[in-house]
């Protein structure tokens, strides 16, 4: 019943985050469009990545006349959206990259809320984790960042941050050496990917560093 409850919360959250899909269409072309400015930029990078397998070395449309190298900051999210599109298109040929772009935040939320539940349950208990997961699902500030069309970097980084904390806490509580190293490696990979997705992923290193200092003293 616990698994069913978590899946029900995730499905409910996904449902309310996709209720605006019918209005996320350009009336002149019929194509899906994001709901804010940064997401349009990320869509353009995802389209370029999908067509070329990498991002351009210099984006001449930014910081004219010098241009801008988007590869360090945007390769990971552009590659993720491109991969999501290709997987979805494999099963449904009607899926477009624009649709994959606008629906990626609810997909990331679905995965993220499950990881969040596992993290909180590991720190507290099942009842607290279920309540916290439901609050996370409906809280406006998080709903706003993971709604369909808000295809910015935070929606992708959030589940990775939850994963990093989850694996780290599991590693901290483990007693077997092989399990400690394996979980620590997974936590490190999740941390690295969260930073590649969004610079705010450095939050993980700050919190873990602060926790270690507290433990030492």
């Amino acid at each position: 019943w616990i698994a069913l409850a978590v899946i029900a919360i995730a499905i409910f959250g996904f449902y309310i985050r996709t209720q605006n899909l019918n209005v996320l269409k350009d009336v002149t072309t019929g194509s899906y469009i994001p709901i804010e400015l940064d997401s349009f930029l990320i869509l353009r990078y995802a389209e370029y990545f999908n067509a070329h397998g990498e991002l351009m070395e210099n984006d001449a449309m930014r910081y004219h006349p010098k241009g801008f190298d988007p590869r360090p900051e945007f390769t990971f999210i552009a590659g993720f959206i491109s991969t999501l599109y290709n997987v979805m298109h494999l099963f449904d040929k009607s899926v477009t990259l624009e649709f994959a772009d606008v629906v990626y935040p609810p997909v990331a939320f679905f995965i993220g809320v499950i990881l969040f539940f596992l993290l909180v349950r590991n720190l507290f208990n099942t009842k607290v984790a279920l309540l916290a997961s439901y609050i996370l699902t409906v809280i406006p500030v998080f709903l706003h960042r993971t709604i369909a069309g808000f295809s910015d970097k935070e929606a992708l980084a959030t589940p990775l941050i939850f994963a990093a904390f989850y694996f780290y806490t599991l590693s901290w509580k483990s007693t077997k050496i092989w399990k400690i190293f394996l979980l620590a490696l997974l936590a490190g990979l999740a941390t690295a990917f969260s930073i590649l997705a969004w610079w705010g992923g450095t939050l993980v290193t700050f919190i873990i560093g602060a926790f270690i200092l507290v433990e030492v003293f």
Side-chain angles (χ1 to χ4, degrees), residues 25-43:
K25 284 189 175 182
D26 187 332
V27 294
T28 59
T29 64
S31 299
Y32 284 95
I33 56 174
I35 61 176
E36 54 92 34
L37 296 179
D38 287 350
S39 300
F40 274 96
L41 173 68
I42 291 172
L43 173 59

Side-chain angles (χ1 to χ4, degrees), residues 106-216:
V107 171
F109 159 80
F110 189 94
I111 300 170
V113 75
I114 295 174
L115 289 167
F116 179 76
F117 167 81
L118 294 173
L119 168 63
V120 177
R121 186 178 67 170
N122 190 43
L123 293 173
F124 299 97
N125 57 57
T126 299
K127 291 181 180 179
V128 172
L130 285 173
L131 177 61
S133 299
Y134 178 75
I135 293 174
L136 182 72
T137 298
V138 298
I139 193 169
V141 66
F142 192 62
L143 175 61
H144 151 246
R145 282 285 174 175
T146 52
I147 198 169
F150 205 112
S151 311
D152 211 337
K153 295 175 287 188
E154 294 88 341
L156 177 58
T158 301
L160 292 168
I161 291 173
F162 292 155
F165 285 135
Y166 174 59
F167 290 128
Y168 180 79
T169 55
L170 284 179
S171 175
W172 184 264
K173 290 185 174 183
S174 298
T175 55
K176 295 182 178 179
I177 296 298
W178 69 268
K179 187 178 289 187
I180 292 173
F181 278 99
L182 176 61
L183 292 169
L185 175 63
L186 292 174
L189 289 173
T191 301
F193 289 145
S194 69
I195 295 172
L196 286 173
W198 175 47
W199 297 124
T202 52
L203 171 77
V204 177
T205 58
F206 173 79
I207 290 179
I208 290 178
F211 169 73
I212 292 297
L213 284 175
V214 170
E215 287 295 314
V216 168

Side-chain angles (χ1 to χ4, degrees), residues 84 96 102 147 153:
L84 178 64
T96 63
V102 299
I147 198 169
K153 295 175 287 188

